[in-house]
Amino acid sequence: MKKLSIVVPCYNEEECLPLFYEKTGEVVAQMPIETEFVFVDDGSTDGTLRILRELSAKDKRVKYVSFSRNFGKEAGLYAGLKHTTGDFVSVMDADLQDPPDLLPKMYEILTSGEDYDCVASRRTTRKNEPKVRSAFARLFYKLINKMTDTEIMDGARDFRMMTRRMTDAILSLPERERFSKELFSWVGFKTKWLDYENIERAKGQTKWSFKKLTKYAVGGIESATPALLKINLVFFALFFLACIGFVIADIVLAATGQYVNFLFILLPILFFCVSALFFGIFVLGEYVKKIFLQVRGRALYIEKETEQTRPKGE
Ligand code: UDP
Ligand code: MG
């Protein structure tokens, strides 16, 4: 029988964990597949680890990894994925905001023979979320999609089910600054999106303050692409155009025999110098970009299939 691994990053989730375990347990019991839970305790300061110890003692499907301190959800996801052994791998939050009821449908789609390697979930609404937060989230998706080649779906959750080959592709990316939303899309593979309405977390509080979220968004863009470096080109263009504007104005003034204020001579020289500086920084940025991409060390391509791994019967 095939096996499904469910990765669950947990940070101070003592209230949610028993609910999550019970609800998800009920759903997977109905599925024609073996299950393994991989909980990652991300340095919780409440009773999360105690609960995980208890669960793993009474249920051999439960594995857990406990961190020495809080390392953040990305580290939790990576550790969880690394410890999975299933043919299919699912990622879920502990707070039941990711409805376990979708798991059977996800599994069905992955095994339907339609060549899907991932079934991911997307919130269609942002109701119950502060308006400012939603506006910033939308802006973030617009920006990051403008700057990267791959599409990052607005409202996409980390909640998804993937095949082993897609999971391995994600684990093969060696970078340290991980932004999973982009990694999931960068590795490619055919993904099916399931829409659902936003669900409130079962118990406890969100771990994301506005400040933490902003840091996550900016950090995400920085990890995903070196495109922000292009800002220097914009500044170069602005100062250079301003310089040209002044030069033209000076010529017109001089040609029509009018008095040219010394500021009108000084400013274009100053603007030219500043634009030259920005151009220099832009060129430097182009090399920094190459170093960034080289150091990040992602694969040149990701193999989906060869004649050796071709699905049987095709
Ligand atoms: N989480 C984590 N480490 C952290 C913050 C959060 O492992 O530093 C986990 C958390 O326990 C939950 C998931 O990541 O299972 C999503 O967190 P949360 O529900 O607070 O985020 P939101 O749903 O509000 O985006
Ligand atoms: Mg949540």
Side-chain angles (χ1 to χ4, degrees):
M1 191 147 58
K2 298 262 187 212
K3 195 201 271 181
L4 167 68
S5 305
I6 302 180
V7 172
V8 193
C10 312
Y11 179 50
N12 292 343
E13 298 284 9
E14 66 176 355
E15 289 181 299
C16 290
L17 265 180
L19 293 173
F20 173 86
Y21 173 74
E22 191 187 331
K23 184 89 209 296
T24 312
E26 273 169 24
V27 175
V28 293
Q30 310 294 322
M31 292 169 64
I33 191 166
E34 233 182 275
T35 326
E36 130 188 295
F37 290 95
V38 184
F39 291 101
V40 182
D41 163 35
D42 185 9
S44 301
T45 49
D46 67 354
T48 299
L49 179 57
R50 178 180 45 80
I51 294 173
L52 292 180
R53 284 183 186 139
E54 283 166 16
L55 288 179
S56 73
K58 72 167 192 205
D59 183 347
K60 64 175 183 359
R61 297 173 306 166
V62 174
K63 291 175 155 182
Y64 70 84
V65 186
S66 181
F67 286 175
S68 58
R69 66 168 172 85
N70 181 244
F71 282 95
K73 189 180 170 185
E74 288 294 337
L77 278 179
Y78 182 77
L81 292 179
K82 244 179 87 164
H83 281 82
T84 58
T85 56
D87 308 282
F88 298 93
V89 175
S90 204
V91 174
M92 294 178 85
D93 286 358
D95 57 8
L96 288 174
Q97 277 193 299
D98 299 333
D101 301 327
L102 286 181
L103 289 174
K105 188 158 180 205
M106 289 176 160
Y107 179 66
E108 210 174 280
I109 294 170
L110 284 187
T111 49
S112 66
E114 282 179 74
D115 225 16
Y116 284 111
D117 274 273
C118 178
V119 185
S121 65
R122 182 169 58 181
R123 293 190 291 184
T124 47
T125 54
R126 291 185 168 273
K127 72 174 186 215
N128 303 327
E129 195 183 67
K131 288 250 160 15
V132 188
R133 194 165 149 172
S134 304
F136 271 100
R138 289 220 173 81
L139 179 71
F140 164 75
Y141 284 107
K142 268 217 183 89
L143 274 179
I144 197 161
N145 279 321
K146 271 235 155 69
M147 290 194 267
T148 53
D149 302 334
T150 49
E151 200 198 349
I152 299 171
M153 197 65 82
D154 187 355
R157 308 264 316 164
D158 288 340
F159 178 33
R160 60 191 59 226
M161 192 184 289
M162 303 174 281
T163 54
R164 171 50 52 190
R165 63 183 177 189
M166 178 158 168
T167 310
D168 287 341
I170 286 164
L171 285 171
S172 77
L173 304 179
E175 62 213 74
R176 264 130 227 294
E177 297 283 321
R178 299 180 84 80
F179 180 55
S180 285
K181 280 194 199 317
E182 195 253 344
L183 302 187
F184 288 139
S185 105
W186 190 86
V187 293
F189 294 104
K190 203 168 142 191
T191 298
K192 168 106 181 162
W193 290 93
L194 299 182
D195 293 341
Y196 70 96
E197 293 219 345
N198 194 22
I199 303 170
E200 293 270 296
R201 78 175 0 261
K203 288 264 164 64
Q205 293 239 314
T206 172
K207 312 293 179 297
W208 295 93
S209 61
F210 192 74
K211 192 172 153 203
K212 224 173 150 186
L213 215 55
T214 311
K215 217 173 128 191
Y216 175 74
V218 176
I221 292 179
E222 287 166 358
S223 305
T225 164
L228 279 179
L229 286 167
K230 286 226 165 67
I231 192 85
N232 293 306
L233 192 61
V234 176
F235 282 126
F236 157 73
L238 286 179
F239 278 101
F240 193 70
L241 284 178
C243 162
I244 300 285
F246 270 104
V247 170
I248 292 173
D250 286 346
I251 292 172
V252 172
L253 285 176
T256 52
Q258 294 179 62
Y259 170 69
V260 183
N261 189 311
F262 87 98
L263 256 183
F264 270 53
I265 296 168
L266 196 63
L267 276 179
I269 296 172
L270 197 70
F271 284 172
F272 179 78
C273 293
V274 176
S275 76
L277 274 178
F278 272 113
F279 190 73
I281 301 174
F282 163 71
V283 173
L284 201 65
E286 288 296 292
Y287 286 94
V288 171
K289 179 168 108 186
K290 293 212 184 288
I291 298 170
F292 169 90
L293 293 173
Q294 183 75 25
V295 171
R296 191 164 70 170
R298 286 189 186 175
L300 294 183
Y301 57 85
I302 286 180
E303 285 182 9
K304 175 168 151 171
E305 191 178 306
T306 65
E307 80 290 342
Q308 307 282 335
T309 56
R310 183 181 61 196
K312 291 184 191 78
E314 300 273 325

